[in-house]
């Protein structure tokens, strides 16, 4: 069979909502982001025989800033299992335990079916989580209605609960992409939405950055840009290879106001590598 890609369709983000609390976060609608639809992408191929597999999850390296922990944050985790597995219909609860042993609240969850592959059925576990403080989660436990439980590696999900209140200063500009097909590159167009000049530094990413540019010109980590009200700047990052199937990054931008005060603006989290899942990625998930 020829090489195929399998797409997870995410809503496009054209102009994220104005941040309500800085650290001054710009937000993506939790409802929109959680509405993940898995699209079949196997036209022209016969349906393969269904193998016997146990649920396996893609490994995601995620750095997530949760603007409002009480409202929750949408998370999608790609999984692979047999078409007749109870994972699709019989999950009674989902438990996320942080590195300190403290559970992360799961407000709601659902399991969505997707493509049938040579290694089982591809799907997505959709969660709304409410971390109360900074924590890192590397495994999840699925509890079934029959009393059985299974624990799975999911990579590393680092959650930071947003704190602080302040006026909006900087937000993602129109065209800010929250979803990418690859994991090697992302861009961050930004707009000064305050009524005064501000100085913007190179955003910090919890990912290995090989190179960064400002408005198309090579830049260094310590470089800064002065923006007048309404003025825009675009940062572009080339990212090093990660030991994970997918990346979720939250760019955090250092901002200095005219009065000398400083703040960090958390942009909407960007999902890297999730749009076109290849046969090679499916096979890697299946072999874990």
């Amino acid at each position: 069979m020829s090489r195929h890609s399998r797409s997870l369709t995410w809503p496009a983000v054209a102009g994220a909502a104005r941040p309500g609390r800085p650290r001054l976060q710009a937000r993506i609608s939790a409802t929109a982001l959680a509405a993940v639809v898995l699209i079949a992408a196997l036209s022209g191929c016969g349906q393969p025989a269904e193998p016997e597999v146990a649920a396996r999850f893609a490994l995601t390296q995620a750095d997530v800033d949760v603007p409002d922990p009480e409202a929750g944050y949408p998370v999608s985790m790609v999984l692979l299992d047999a078409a007749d597995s109870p994972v699709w219909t019989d999950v009674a609860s989902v438990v996320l335990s942080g590195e300190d042993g403290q559970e992360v609240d799961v407000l709601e969850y659902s399991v969505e079916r997707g493509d049938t592959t040579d290694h089982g059925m591809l799907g997505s576990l959709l969660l709304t989580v409410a971390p109360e403080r900074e924590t890192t989660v590397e495994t999840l436990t699925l509890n079934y209605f029959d009393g059985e439980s299974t624990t799975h590696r999911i990579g590393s999900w680092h959650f930071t609960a947003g704190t602080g209140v302040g006026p909006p200063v900087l937000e993602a500009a129109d065209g800010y992409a929250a979803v990418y097909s690859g994991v090697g590159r992302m861009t961050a167009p930004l707009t000064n939405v305050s009524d005064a000049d501000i100085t913007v530094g190179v955003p910090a990413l919890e990912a290995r950055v090989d190179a960064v540019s400002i408005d198309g010109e090579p830049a260094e980590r310590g470089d800064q840009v002065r923006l007048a009200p309404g003025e825009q700047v675009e940062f572009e990052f080339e990212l090093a290879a990660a030991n994970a199937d997918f990346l979720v990054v939250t760019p955090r931008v250092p901002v200095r106001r005219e009065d000398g005060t400083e703040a960090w603006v958390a942009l909407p989290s960007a999902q890297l590598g999730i749009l076109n899942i290849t046969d090679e990625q499916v096979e890697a998930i299946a072999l874990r």
Side-chain angles (χ1 to χ4, degrees):
M1 184 174 64
S2 61
R3 185 178 184 273
H4 297 277
S5 65
R6 298 168 172 81
S7 299
L8 297 177
T9 301
W10 295 76
V13 175
R18 176 167 295 185
R21 30 165 102 209
R23 320 221 335 246
L24 303 158
Q25 295 91 348
R27 307 182 187 179
I28 295 177
S29 163
T31 302
L33 189 57
V36 178
V37 180
L38 291 162
I39 305 298
L42 296 178
S43 58
C45 293
Q47 293 296 327
E50 188 63 45
E52 291 295 329
V53 297
R56 293 177 175 85
F57 281 77
L59 300 183
T60 302
Q61 179 182 317
D63 172 45
V64 174
D65 194 278
V66 182
D68 185 354
E70 292 184 2
Y73 187 89
V75 167
S76 178
M77 299 181 183
V78 175
L79 65 100
L80 188 68
D81 206 344
D84 60 354
S85 167
V87 76
W88 310 112
T89 56
D90 296 342
V91 174
S93 64
V94 179
V95 178
L96 297 177
S97 295
E99 58 187 355
D100 57 0
Q102 189 73 22
E103 291 185 7
V104 174
D105 287 343
V106 178
L107 304 182
E108 58 184 3
Y109 69 90
S110 64
V111 185
E112 303 294 334
R113 297 174 184 261
D115 289 357
T116 299
T117 77
D118 291 332
H119 300 281
M121 178 164 284
L122 196 63
S124 186
L125 173 64
L126 306 179
L127 308 169
T128 301
V129 301
E132 296 181 354
R133 62 178 183 276
E134 184 174 2
T135 190
T136 299
V137 176
E138 296 182 346
T139 62
L140 66 77
T141 299
L142 301 178
N143 298 317
Y144 294 87
F145 288 115
D146 64 2
E148 295 292 325
S149 296
T150 56
T151 298
H152 307 270
R153 294 169 56 222
I154 56 174
S156 178
W157 286 77
H158 178 237
F159 296 101
T160 303
T163 58
V165 177
V169 172
L170 188 74
E171 69 177 27
D174 288 349
Y176 182 90
V179 188
Y180 293 81
S181 58
V183 295
R185 175 182 171 275
M186 74 164 293
T187 60
L190 310 174
T191 301
N192 177 3
V193 295
S194 72
D195 57 4
D197 289 358
I198 58 174
T199 300
V200 178
V202 174
L205 301 181
E206 290 296 327
R208 291 175 54 197
V209 177
D210 280 344
V212 62
S213 65
I214 300 176
D215 288 335
E217 297 294 328
E220 301 293 335
R221 292 300 259 168
D223 289 352
Q224 298 180 330
V225 180
R226 189 170 181 83
L227 297 179
E231 192 173 1
Q232 294 188 2
V233 64
E234 180 172 281
F235 295 94
E236 182 173 343
F237 302 91
E238 293 182 13
L239 305 179
N243 188 25
D245 301 300
F246 311 117
L247 293 178
V248 180
V249 296
T250 301
R252 294 179 176 85
V253 189
V255 176
R256 186 174 68 251
R257 304 179 181 89
E258 280 197 313
D259 61 6
T261 59
E262 297 181 348
W264 285 88
V265 177
L267 301 178
S269 296
Q271 319 274 336
L272 279 66
I274 201 73
L275 276 182
N276 295 297
I277 300 177
T278 66
D279 289 342
E280 288 78 7
Q281 287 175 301
V282 172
E283 183 173 4
I285 297 170
L287 292 176
R288 294 197 177 102

